[in-house]
Amino acid sequence: IDRYHGPLLRLALVFVGSRAVAEEVVQETWVGVLDGLASYEGRSSLKTWIFRILTNRAKTRGVREKRTMPFSALGDGDGDQEPAVEAARFHQNGMWGVAPRRWEDDTPEKLVSNQQALEQLEVAIAALPANQRAVVTLRDIDGLDADETCNVLGISETNQRVLLHRARSRLRAALEKHMERK
């Protein structure tokens, strides 16, 4: 419980509208784990199995609460048709015209220690579409690998890569804007 409670809560927040409902979903998940432990077959890791229980319960609860759309209703046709990187940054031949700004002295470690950048990153993550937010939360915040993420969310590896790329691109753009204002 100590190891997975925080990551489960973060994932539940992707599907439901409030922290209180997310905490209820996590509690329901732990009850489900205890009830189903005897039937756990070991076809996936215990961690993946637990996260999958949470995902199913959170989707159901999100639909019932009508605060979010279920993850299964989202996908490549989620209305997110904008490119991951602005087309204006490229020449006609596809090469970078305006490369991403180097952070030189602002290494990722220094950015994380910068409270304003961290707050900006949290706002940017919250603004992501639910499917991108779920993938980036599982991969970059909770440290799940690609296979575990696909199993937890019930998506293909290709879809997971696309969603992760789009999410990371949007987050990088948000941090670039923050750095330009400094």
Side-chain angles (χ1 to χ4, degrees):
I1 290 174
D2 290 339
R3 184 181 304 159
Y4 297 130
H5 186 79
L8 288 172
L9 185 59
R10 281 190 294 275
L11 182 58
L13 283 166
V14 170
F15 297 102
V16 298
S18 73
R19 185 173 181 88
V21 174
E23 288 174 357
E24 288 178 16
V25 170
V26 172
Q27 288 177 350
E28 292 169 8
T29 298
W30 287 120
V31 170
V33 167
L34 292 174
D35 290 344
L37 199 54
S39 63
Y40 171 64
E41 298 175 358
R43 287 186 277 163
S44 62
S45 71
L46 182 62
K47 178 180 181 180
T48 300
W49 182 70
I50 294 169
F51 274 75
R52 188 66 182 167
I53 291 171
L54 175 105
T55 301
N56 291 333
R57 290 177 187 269
K59 284 180 186 179
T60 301
R61 186 65 177 267
V63 170
R64 191 171 67 225
E65 297 286 324
K66 295 185 180 182
R67 294 185 182 168
T68 62
M69 291 176 56
F71 192 85
S72 60
L74 303 173
D76 289 334
D78 67 352
D80 179 23
Q81 299 302 321
E82 68 183 59
V85 179
E86 297 172 17
R89 294 186 110 168
F90 296 98
H91 292 296
Q92 287 181 336
N93 64 1
M95 302 297 289
W96 280 103
V98 180
R101 179 180 171 263
R102 285 198 164 287
W103 288 338
E104 296 155 8
D105 293 333
D106 295 323
T107 63
E109 292 79 16
K110 286 183 182 178
L111 282 176
V112 170
S113 68
N114 179 335
Q115 186 61 33
Q116 287 180 330
L118 190 55
E119 289 170 4
Q120 180 62 37
L121 188 58
E122 289 172 356
V123 168
I125 290 170
L128 291 171
N131 52 359
Q132 292 177 19
R133 190 169 63 244
V135 171
V136 82
T137 297
L138 289 171
R139 290 292 310 275
D140 295 339
I141 297 173
D142 296 331
L144 271 66
D145 65 28
D147 289 337
E148 290 174 317
T149 301
C150 291
N151 287 335
V152 166
L153 299 176
I155 59 176
S156 69
E157 186 176 340
T158 301
N159 194 16
Q160 182 268 156
R161 281 195 311 269
V162 169
L163 292 171
L164 184 61
H165 172 70
R166 288 180 181 174
R168 286 176 175 170
S169 295
R170 285 182 173 195
L171 297 177
R172 180 177 179 91
L175 284 175
E176 283 180 344
K177 286 180 185 176
H178 171 74
M179 296 307 295
E180 288 171 2
R181 289 191 299 253
K182 282 183 88 176

